[in-house]
Protein backbone atom coordinates (compact mmCIF):
# COMPACT_ATOMS: atom_id res chain seq x y z
CA UNK A 1 0.00 0.00 0.00
CA UNK A 2 1.35 3.43 -0.96
CA UNK A 3 1.98 5.64 2.05
CA UNK A 4 0.04 8.94 2.35
CA UNK A 5 1.92 11.87 0.77
CA UNK A 6 3.66 14.47 2.93
CA UNK A 7 3.34 17.20 0.29
CA UNK A 8 0.14 17.95 -1.63
CA UNK A 9 -1.53 20.84 -3.42
CA UNK A 10 -3.61 23.05 -1.14
CA UNK A 11 -6.72 22.49 -3.25
CA UNK A 12 -6.83 18.88 -1.98
CA UNK A 13 -6.81 19.70 1.77
CA UNK A 14 -10.03 19.47 3.78
CA UNK A 15 -11.02 20.22 7.39
CA UNK A 16 -11.67 16.52 7.90
CA UNK A 17 -7.87 16.09 7.59
CA UNK A 18 -6.87 18.94 9.90
CA UNK A 19 -4.56 16.68 11.93
CA UNK A 20 -2.59 15.89 8.78
CA UNK A 21 -2.32 19.34 7.19
CA UNK A 22 -3.10 21.88 9.91
CA UNK A 23 -6.05 24.22 10.14
CA UNK A 24 -4.96 27.14 7.93
CA UNK A 25 -4.20 24.92 4.93
CA UNK A 26 -7.45 23.00 5.36
CA UNK A 27 -9.52 26.19 5.52
CA UNK A 28 -7.86 27.42 2.31
CA UNK A 29 -8.49 24.04 0.69
CA UNK A 30 -12.17 24.19 1.58
CA UNK A 31 -12.40 27.68 0.11
CA UNK A 32 -10.49 26.79 -3.04
CA UNK A 33 -12.67 23.73 -3.64
CA UNK A 34 -15.65 26.10 -3.74
CA UNK A 35 -13.97 28.41 -6.30
CA UNK A 36 -12.97 31.17 -3.89
CA UNK A 37 -9.96 33.11 -5.25
CA UNK A 38 -7.26 31.39 -3.18
CA UNK A 39 -3.73 31.33 -4.66
CA UNK A 40 -2.32 27.98 -5.74
CA UNK A 41 0.23 26.36 -3.49
CA UNK A 42 1.34 23.24 -1.66
CA UNK A 43 1.17 22.06 1.94
CA UNK A 44 3.73 20.09 3.90
CA UNK A 45 2.16 17.64 6.34
CA UNK A 46 2.25 17.77 10.13
CA UNK A 47 3.76 14.28 10.00
CA UNK A 48 6.85 15.70 8.28
CA UNK A 49 7.26 18.14 11.19
CA UNK A 50 6.97 15.27 13.68
CA UNK A 51 9.47 13.10 11.80
CA UNK A 52 11.98 15.95 11.46
CA UNK A 53 12.65 15.65 15.20
CA UNK A 54 14.41 18.16 17.40
CA UNK A 55 17.10 18.78 14.76
CA UNK A 56 14.44 19.60 12.13
CA UNK A 57 16.11 17.40 9.54
CA UNK A 58 14.12 17.01 6.31
CA UNK A 59 14.14 13.63 4.59
CA UNK A 60 16.13 13.70 1.33
CA UNK A 61 13.21 12.65 -0.87
CA UNK A 62 10.99 15.25 0.75
CA UNK A 63 13.75 17.85 0.35
CA UNK A 64 13.79 17.13 -3.40
CA UNK A 65 9.99 17.29 -3.62
CA UNK A 66 9.95 20.66 -1.83
CA UNK A 67 12.55 22.11 -4.18
CA UNK A 68 10.64 20.89 -7.24
CA UNK A 69 7.38 22.33 -5.93
CA UNK A 70 9.07 25.65 -5.16
CA UNK A 71 10.63 25.76 -8.62
CA UNK A 72 7.22 25.19 -10.21
CA UNK A 73 5.54 27.89 -8.11
CA UNK A 74 8.39 30.33 -8.79
CA UNK A 75 8.04 29.76 -12.53
CA UNK A 76 5.07 32.15 -12.63
CA UNK A 77 6.08 34.37 -9.71
CA UNK A 78 9.16 36.11 -8.34
CA UNK A 79 8.76 35.11 -4.70
CA UNK A 80 7.10 32.63 -2.35
CA UNK A 81 5.44 32.92 1.04
CA UNK A 82 6.11 30.11 3.53
CA UNK A 83 3.60 30.11 6.39
CA UNK A 84 2.54 27.97 9.33
CA UNK A 85 -0.51 25.72 9.36
CA UNK A 86 -0.58 24.36 12.89
CA UNK A 87 -3.33 22.01 14.08
CA UNK A 88 -4.27 24.36 16.95
CA UNK A 89 -3.89 27.53 14.87
CA UNK A 90 -6.96 29.65 14.05
CA UNK A 91 -9.30 27.94 16.50
CA UNK A 92 -12.26 29.98 17.80
CA UNK A 93 -11.08 32.06 20.74
CA UNK A 94 -7.40 31.10 20.33
CA UNK A 95 -6.05 31.93 16.89
CA UNK A 96 -2.32 32.24 17.82
CA UNK A 97 -2.15 34.92 15.11
CA UNK A 98 1.30 36.48 14.99
CA UNK A 99 2.97 33.81 17.15
CA UNK A 100 4.02 31.44 14.39
CA UNK A 101 6.64 32.56 11.90
CA UNK A 102 5.98 33.47 8.27
CA UNK A 103 8.78 33.86 5.72
CA UNK A 104 7.75 36.19 2.90
CA UNK A 105 9.90 36.63 -0.21
CA UNK A 106 11.69 33.31 -0.80
CA UNK A 107 13.15 33.83 -4.26
CA UNK A 108 14.93 30.55 -5.04
CA UNK A 109 13.94 26.87 -4.73
CA UNK A 110 16.72 26.06 -2.25
CA UNK A 111 15.61 28.85 0.07
CA UNK A 112 12.33 27.11 0.81
CA UNK A 113 14.10 24.48 2.97
CA UNK A 114 15.48 27.03 5.41
CA UNK A 115 12.14 28.85 5.43
CA UNK A 116 10.31 25.64 6.39
CA UNK A 117 12.72 25.08 9.28
CA UNK A 118 12.22 28.65 10.47
CA UNK A 119 8.45 28.15 10.52
CA UNK A 120 8.87 24.86 12.39
CA UNK A 121 11.11 26.52 14.98
CA UNK A 122 8.36 29.02 15.81
CA UNK A 123 6.25 26.14 17.15
CA UNK A 124 8.51 26.04 20.21
CA UNK A 125 7.81 29.70 20.96
CA UNK A 126 4.06 29.11 20.64
CA UNK A 127 4.24 26.22 23.10
CA UNK A 128 6.00 28.44 25.64
CA UNK A 129 3.37 31.17 25.25
CA UNK A 130 0.44 28.77 25.44
CA UNK A 131 0.10 26.53 28.52
CA UNK A 132 -2.81 24.75 26.81
CA UNK A 133 -0.66 23.83 23.84
CA UNK A 134 2.29 22.76 25.95
CA UNK A 135 0.11 20.47 28.07
CA UNK A 136 -1.32 18.52 25.12
CA UNK A 137 -0.70 14.93 26.20
CA UNK A 138 -0.23 13.10 22.90
CA UNK A 139 1.35 15.95 20.97
CA UNK A 140 -1.11 15.88 18.08
CA UNK A 141 -2.34 19.42 18.69
CA UNK A 142 1.27 20.69 18.69
CA UNK A 143 1.99 19.48 15.17
CA UNK A 144 2.47 21.96 12.37
CA UNK A 145 1.90 21.86 8.65
CA UNK A 146 3.53 24.41 6.35
CA UNK A 147 1.96 26.28 3.41
CA UNK A 148 4.02 27.38 0.41
CA UNK A 149 2.34 29.82 -1.99
CA UNK A 150 3.36 32.53 -4.46
CA UNK A 151 3.39 36.01 -2.95
CA UNK A 152 0.52 38.14 -4.21
CA UNK A 153 2.14 41.42 -5.26
CA UNK A 154 -0.70 43.46 -3.82
CA UNK A 155 -1.45 47.04 -4.67
CA UNK A 156 -3.86 47.15 -1.71
CA UNK A 157 -4.33 44.59 1.06
CA UNK A 158 -5.80 44.17 4.51
CA UNK A 159 -8.34 42.34 6.64
CA UNK A 160 -12.11 42.18 6.81
CA UNK A 161 -14.01 41.32 10.00
CA UNK A 162 -17.42 39.98 9.02
CA UNK A 163 -18.78 41.48 12.25
CA UNK A 164 -17.40 44.56 13.99
CA UNK A 165 -15.22 43.10 16.80
CA UNK A 166 -15.39 46.35 18.81
CA UNK A 167 -19.16 46.90 18.47
CA UNK A 168 -20.59 43.49 17.54
CA UNK A 169 -24.13 44.69 18.09
CA UNK A 170 -23.85 47.50 15.52
CA UNK A 171 -24.86 45.34 12.56
CA UNK A 172 -21.70 46.33 10.66
CA UNK A 173 -18.65 44.59 9.27
CA UNK A 174 -15.25 46.29 9.26
CA UNK A 175 -12.50 46.47 6.62
CA UNK A 176 -8.94 47.66 7.27
CA UNK A 177 -6.97 48.47 4.11
CA UNK A 178 -3.50 49.75 3.30
CA UNK A 179 -1.20 50.20 0.33
CA UNK A 180 1.05 47.29 -0.64
CA UNK A 181 1.21 43.99 1.20
CA UNK A 182 -1.08 43.48 4.19
CA UNK A 183 1.63 42.51 6.69
CA UNK A 184 1.35 44.59 9.83
CA UNK A 185 -2.28 45.65 9.39
CA UNK A 186 -3.67 43.40 12.13
CA UNK A 187 -0.95 44.41 14.59
CA UNK A 188 -1.36 48.10 13.76
CA UNK A 189 2.26 48.39 12.62
CA UNK A 190 1.20 49.92 9.30
CA UNK A 191 -1.27 52.83 8.93
CA UNK A 192 -4.54 51.63 7.42
CA UNK A 193 -7.89 53.04 6.40
CA UNK A 194 -11.06 51.72 8.05
CA UNK A 195 -14.43 51.16 6.38
CA UNK A 196 -17.67 50.20 8.10
CA UNK A 197 -20.29 48.41 5.95
CA UNK A 198 -23.81 47.52 7.00
CA UNK A 199 -24.08 43.75 7.00
CA UNK A 200 -27.64 43.60 5.71
CA UNK A 201 -27.00 45.44 2.42
CA UNK A 202 -23.20 46.11 2.43
CA UNK A 203 -23.69 49.85 2.22
CA UNK A 204 -20.65 51.84 3.36
CA UNK A 205 -21.92 53.73 6.42
CA UNK A 206 -18.64 55.25 7.62
CA UNK A 207 -14.98 55.45 6.72
CA UNK A 208 -11.84 56.78 8.33
CA UNK A 209 -8.97 57.68 5.98
CA UNK A 210 -5.58 58.09 7.63
CA UNK A 211 -2.18 59.27 6.49
CA UNK A 212 -0.46 56.19 5.08
CA UNK A 213 3.19 57.21 4.84
CA UNK A 214 4.64 53.67 4.93
CA UNK A 215 3.72 50.27 3.56
CA UNK A 216 5.20 46.80 3.14
CA UNK A 217 6.64 45.69 -0.20
CA UNK A 218 9.00 42.98 -1.42
CA UNK A 219 12.67 43.82 -1.65
CA UNK A 220 14.65 41.55 -4.04
CA UNK A 221 17.48 41.24 -1.54
CA UNK A 222 15.88 41.24 1.92
CA UNK A 223 12.34 40.02 1.23
CA UNK A 224 9.57 41.80 3.13
CA UNK A 225 10.57 45.41 3.72
CA UNK A 226 8.96 48.59 4.98
CA UNK A 227 9.02 51.38 2.42
CA UNK A 228 7.74 54.94 1.95
CA UNK A 229 4.46 55.74 0.22
CA UNK A 230 4.58 58.45 -2.45
CA UNK A 231 3.27 61.82 -1.17
CA UNK A 232 0.44 61.83 -3.73
CA UNK A 233 -1.06 58.66 -2.20
CA UNK A 234 -0.47 59.26 1.51
CA UNK A 235 -3.83 60.96 2.14
CA UNK A 236 -5.77 59.11 -0.56
CA UNK A 237 -8.36 56.42 0.23
CA UNK A 238 -6.72 53.21 -0.91
CA UNK A 239 -9.92 51.15 -1.33
CA UNK A 240 -12.69 52.31 -3.71
CA UNK A 241 -16.22 51.69 -2.45
CA UNK A 242 -17.04 49.05 -5.08
CA UNK A 243 -14.00 47.02 -4.00
CA UNK A 244 -14.98 47.37 -0.34
CA UNK A 245 -18.44 46.01 -1.16
CA UNK A 246 -16.92 43.06 -3.01
CA UNK A 247 -14.62 42.24 -0.10
CA UNK A 248 -17.61 42.45 2.23
CA UNK A 249 -19.48 39.97 0.01
CA UNK A 250 -16.62 37.50 0.26
CA UNK A 251 -16.40 37.88 4.05
CA UNK A 252 -20.13 37.33 4.52
CA UNK A 253 -20.03 34.29 2.24
CA UNK A 254 -17.09 32.80 4.17
CA UNK A 255 -18.93 33.42 7.45
CA UNK A 256 -21.91 31.54 6.05
CA UNK A 257 -19.70 28.67 4.94
CA UNK A 258 -18.01 28.17 8.31
CA UNK A 259 -20.97 29.19 10.46
CA UNK A 260 -19.33 31.93 12.56
CA UNK A 261 -17.89 35.46 12.15
CA UNK A 262 -14.60 35.48 10.25
CA UNK A 263 -11.39 37.49 10.11
CA UNK A 264 -10.49 37.35 6.40
CA UNK A 265 -7.11 38.42 5.01
CA UNK A 266 -7.35 39.69 1.43
CA UNK A 267 -5.24 41.32 -1.26
CA UNK A 268 -5.92 43.08 -4.56
CA UNK A 269 -3.51 42.67 -7.48
CA UNK A 270 -4.14 43.34 -11.18
CA UNK A 271 -7.82 44.09 -10.54
CA UNK A 272 -8.45 40.80 -8.74
CA UNK A 273 -9.28 40.10 -5.11
CA UNK A 274 -7.42 37.20 -3.50
CA UNK A 275 -8.35 35.45 -0.24
CA UNK A 276 -5.15 34.69 1.69
CA UNK A 277 -6.54 33.37 4.97
CA UNK A 278 -9.69 33.12 7.07
CA UNK A 279 -10.11 32.38 10.75
CA UNK A 280 -12.76 32.90 13.45
CA UNK A 281 -12.66 36.30 15.14
CA UNK A 282 -10.88 35.33 18.34
CA UNK A 283 -11.73 38.50 20.28
CA UNK A 284 -15.50 37.93 20.28
CA UNK A 285 -17.02 36.75 23.57
CA UNK A 286 -19.26 33.99 22.22
CA UNK A 287 -20.79 33.19 25.62
CA UNK A 288 -21.89 36.70 26.56
CA UNK A 289 -25.42 37.59 25.39
CA UNK A 290 -25.06 41.19 26.57
CA UNK A 291 -23.59 42.47 23.29
CA UNK A 292 -24.65 46.05 22.71
CA UNK A 293 -23.47 49.05 20.63
CA UNK A 294 -21.12 51.42 22.43
CA UNK A 295 -22.18 55.08 22.59
CA UNK A 296 -19.10 57.30 22.45
CA UNK A 297 -18.99 60.64 24.25
CA UNK A 298 -16.42 61.81 21.69
CA UNK A 299 -17.04 60.61 18.10
CA UNK A 300 -13.30 60.48 17.36
CA UNK A 301 -12.86 57.75 20.00
CA UNK A 302 -14.89 55.36 17.83
CA UNK A 303 -12.05 55.42 15.30
CA UNK A 304 -9.58 53.93 17.76
CA UNK A 305 -8.85 50.25 18.24
CA UNK A 306 -9.76 49.18 21.78
CA UNK A 307 -8.69 45.84 23.24
CA UNK A 308 -8.83 44.05 26.59
CA UNK A 309 -5.05 44.01 26.86
CA UNK A 310 -5.02 46.65 29.61
CA UNK A 311 -6.75 44.27 32.01
CA UNK A 312 -4.65 41.33 30.88
CA UNK A 313 -1.48 43.26 31.73
CA UNK A 314 -2.75 44.97 34.88
CA UNK A 315 -4.77 42.26 36.55
CA UNK A 316 -4.85 44.01 39.92
CA UNK A 317 -6.30 47.22 38.49
CA UNK A 318 -10.05 47.77 38.81
CA UNK A 319 -12.17 47.35 35.69
CA UNK A 320 -13.31 50.59 34.11
CA UNK A 321 -16.62 50.93 32.23
CA UNK A 322 -14.94 50.60 28.81
CA UNK A 323 -13.11 47.44 29.96
CA UNK A 324 -16.45 45.89 30.91
CA UNK A 325 -18.07 46.98 27.63
Amino acid sequence: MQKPPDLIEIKHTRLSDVLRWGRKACVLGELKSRSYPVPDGVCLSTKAFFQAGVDLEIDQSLDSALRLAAERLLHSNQALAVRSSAVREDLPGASYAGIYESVIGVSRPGGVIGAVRKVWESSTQAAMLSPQQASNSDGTMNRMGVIIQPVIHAEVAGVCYSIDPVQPGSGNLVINATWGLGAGVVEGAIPSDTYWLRREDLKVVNQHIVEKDTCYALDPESGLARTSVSPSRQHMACLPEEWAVRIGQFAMAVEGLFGEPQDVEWAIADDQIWILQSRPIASLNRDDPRIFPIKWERPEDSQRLWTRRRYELLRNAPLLPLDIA
Side-chain angles (χ1 to χ4, degrees):
M1 180 182 296
Q2 187 177 9
K3 68 177 183 178
D6 287 320
L7 186 69
I8 67 167
E9 294 186 36
I10 285 177
K11 65 182 180 181
H12 297 310
T13 61
R14 296 293 183 273
L15 282 171
S16 57
D17 276 336
V18 69
L19 291 178
R20 178 179 293 180
W21 306 112
R23 186 162 297 274
K24 188 184 299 180
C26 291
V27 166
L28 291 178
E30 294 282 1
L31 293 173
K32 197 166 181 63
S33 71
R34 292 167 171 82
S35 299
Y36 283 81
V38 172
D40 291 331
V42 296
C43 182
L44 184 61
S45 73
T46 61
K47 180 182 176 183
F49 170 55
F50 178 75
Q51 291 181 330
V54 294
D55 295 327
L56 303 181
E57 290 296 327
I58 299 176
D59 176 83
Q60 185 174 354
S61 61
L62 186 56
D63 183 299
S64 300
L66 277 169
R67 292 172 189 266
L68 286 173
E71 185 175 2
R72 175 174 58 83
L73 293 170
L74 281 167
H75 182 69
S76 58
N77 197 288
Q78 298 177 350
L80 300 177
V82 181
R83 301 186 296 154
S84 64
S85 179
V87 171
R88 188 179 288 275
E89 193 169 6
D90 296 345
L91 289 170
S95 73
Y96 297 98
I99 295 179
Y100 297 122
E101 186 72 40
S102 293
V103 182
I104 311 297
V106 177
S107 58
R108 55 187 180 83
V112 75
I113 306 301
V116 166
R117 290 197 180 102
K118 192 170 184 179
V119 172
W120 279 347
E121 286 172 355
S122 67
S123 176
T124 303
Q125 179 184 8
M128 289 188 296
L129 292 175
S130 169
Q132 286 182 329
Q133 182 168 357
S135 64
N136 180 248
S137 58
D138 62 3
T140 56
M141 296 298 283
N142 301 343
R143 295 187 183 185
M144 177 183 286
V146 179
I147 299 171
I148 303 165
Q149 292 174 295
V151 173
I152 299 299
H153 298 278
E155 294 126 32
V156 181
V159 297
C160 178
Y161 302 96
S162 66
I163 187 170
D164 188 336
V166 177
Q167 299 186 68
S170 66
N172 296 331
L173 61 80
V174 180
I175 300 173
N176 294 123
T178 192
W179 297 116
L181 305 183
V185 172
V186 176
E187 297 86 358
I190 291 291
S192 60
D193 297 337
T194 306
Y195 304 82
W196 289 264
L197 281 68
R198 197 160 52 206
R199 282 167 53 90
E200 64 181 30
D201 57 7
L202 296 179
K203 178 180 175 58
V204 177
V205 295
N206 195 9
Q207 64 181 29
H208 181 57
I209 310 303
V210 300
E211 179 182 358
K212 298 171 288 297
D213 56 350
T214 58
C215 70
Y216 274 116
L218 275 184
D219 183 275
E221 300 296 328
S222 60
L224 191 65
R226 195 162 178 160
T227 186
S228 298
V229 174
S230 63
S232 62
R233 298 196 304 164
Q234 289 183 7
H235 298 277
M236 182 189 303
C238 62
L239 189 63
E241 182 172 332
E242 57 269 25
W243 283 105
V245 171
R246 186 64 177 138
I247 291 166
Q249 290 172 340
F250 275 123
M252 293 294 292
V254 175
E255 176 185 300
L257 175 63
F258 295 121
E260 60 183 322
Q262 295 289 301
D263 167 0
V264 180
E265 293 185 17
W266 55 270
I268 298 176
D270 298 324
D271 291 329
Q272 179 176 344
I273 295 175
W274 294 93
I275 304 299
L276 307 181
Q277 184 175 340
S278 186
R279 54 185 170 242
I281 301 177
S283 60
L284 289 181
N285 185 350
R286 291 165 172 77
D287 299 323
D288 190 350
R290 299 169 299 169
I291 295 176
F292 56 91
I294 297 174
K295 294 182 179 179
W296 302 94
E297 293 183 3
R298 299 189 307 167
E300 59 268 25
D301 286 344
S302 67
Q303 311 297 336
R304 302 180 183 275
L305 177 64
W306 296 90
T307 71
R308 301 178 183 179
R309 187 165 297 175
R310 174 188 176 278
Y311 181 59
E312 292 171 0
L313 296 176
L314 304 173
R315 295 185 181 276
N316 294 326
L319 284 175
L320 300 177
L322 184 60
D323 295 319
I324 299 173

